[in-house]
Amino acid sequence: NAGVTQTPKFQVLKTGQSMTLQCAQDMNHEYMSWYRQDPGMGLRLIHYSVGAGITDQGEVPNGYNVSRSTTEDFPLRLLSAAPSQTSVYFCASRRNRDSGNTIYFGEGSWLTVV
Amino acid sequence: DAKTTQPTSMDCAEGRAANLPCNHSTISGNEYVYWYRQIHSQGPQYIIHGLKNNETNEMASLIITEDRKSSTLILPHATLRDTAVYYCIVSLDNYGQNFVFGPGTRLSVLP
């Protein structure tokens, strides 16, 4: 049981490049989400999904796209990287919407845009 | 809106109990109290959660007041490895799906 797995762990991009951060969970969780965390700040929600085929925007969605073609995978795409997107990105999953269910986080993907 | 209030920072001597308070005066009846911690920008780590009763696991104890307006996370014997930012979370966001993380409490365990 690997939990929530994110790749890559580190990435450097040039401004204007695009890339995809991968996220996979093996717990058959319905809910998955992406957060970003800037230095000294809390986590902010980018996009989330309540199940395969369903996605929605969070607090800071601009510049990012997501899709959820399977229960297991929830990739985050940066369309045209900007220096403001330099951050640590965390993927998370949760069994379902019941309030007693814990959220599990991946180890993070460190992205630098130069 | 995180709906929680935590001290910005706290110190604790190694080997002593660390008591981290959290105020959540607007908590609703079906909202759980969750605690997570984050070490050196690693992924947030789940510690414990509860609804009404006090809870204990291998990592910590959670004490929730009877009116549920505040809680305390207790690390019974703090070690240097417990130095981290601790987040108290009681609410889902406006989308009803995801936790709202406030700034948390930076706990420094001192030798």
Side-chain angles (χ1 to χ4, degrees):
Chain A
N1 186 340
V4 179
T5 303
Q6 293 181 230
T7 57
K9 193 166 182 63
F10 300 97
Q11 182 71 49
V12 178
L13 285 180
K14 294 182 178 179
T15 297
Q17 286 185 318
S18 63
M19 76 157 298
T20 299
L21 300 178
Q22 302 291 344
C23 177
Q25 53 91 9
D26 60 1
M27 298 173 282
N28 200 32
H29 285 174
E30 293 181 5
Y31 283 27
M32 296 186 74
S33 53
W34 277 101
Y35 292 83
R36 63 176 285 176
Q37 186 174 34
D38 300 320
M41 305 287 287
L43 283 80
R44 292 186 293 170
L45 181 66
I46 305 171
H47 285 284
Y48 66 97
S49 168
V50 301
I54 306 170
T55 64
D56 212 335
Q57 297 181 350
E59 179 186 0
V60 288
N62 292 339
Y64 307 94
N65 274 355
V66 292
S67 60
R68 185 94 180 271
S69 57
T70 67
T71 299
E72 294 78 17
D73 299 302
F74 191 45
L76 178 72
R77 298 184 188 84
L78 280 71
L79 309 174
S80 178
S84 61
Q85 293 179 304
T86 294
S87 190
V88 183
Y89 292 84
F90 293 102
C91 180
S93 75
R94 191 180 192 202
R95 180 172 299 280
N96 55 43
R97 68 179 303 161
D98 290 347
S99 58
N101 287 323
T102 302
I103 287 184
Y104 297 91
F105 287 86
E107 286 303 307
S109 296
W110 296 69
L111 175 66
T112 301
V113 182
V114 297
Chain B
D1 181 4
K3 295 177 62 176
T4 62
T5 303
Q6 296 178 253
T8 302
S9 63
M10 294 180 63
D11 292 338
C12 177
E14 187 178 18
R16 303 295 294 270
N19 297 282
L20 290 87
C22 180
N23 288 324
H24 32 79
S25 58
T26 60
I27 191 171
S28 63
N30 63 348
E31 288 180 325
Y32 283 72
V33 180
Y34 282 85
W35 283 85
Y36 281 76
R37 72 181 183 184
Q38 192 173 25
I39 301 172
H40 298 309
S41 290
Q42 296 177 13
Q45 178 189 22
Y46 166 78
I47 302 173
I48 198 167
H49 75 286
L51 184 61
K52 294 180 181 179
N53 299 322
N54 298 336
E55 302 288 344
T56 296
N57 63 20
E58 65 279 5
M59 290 182 67
S61 295
L62 174 61
I63 308 299
I64 303 173
T65 58
E66 190 170 348
D67 63 8
R68 298 203 339 115
K69 293 185 177 181
S70 65
S71 61
T72 300
L73 177 73
I74 301 173
L75 307 178
H77 304 287
T79 71
L80 299 179
R81 288 176 294 181
D82 292 322
T83 293
V85 178
Y86 287 77
Y87 297 99
C88 168
I89 303 163
V90 299
S91 64
L92 299 176
D93 57 17
N94 291 336
Y95 314 100
Q97 315 294 351
N98 301 282
F99 290 170
V100 176
F101 283 79
T105 296
R106 181 171 297 278
L107 176 68
S108 298
V109 180
L110 307 175

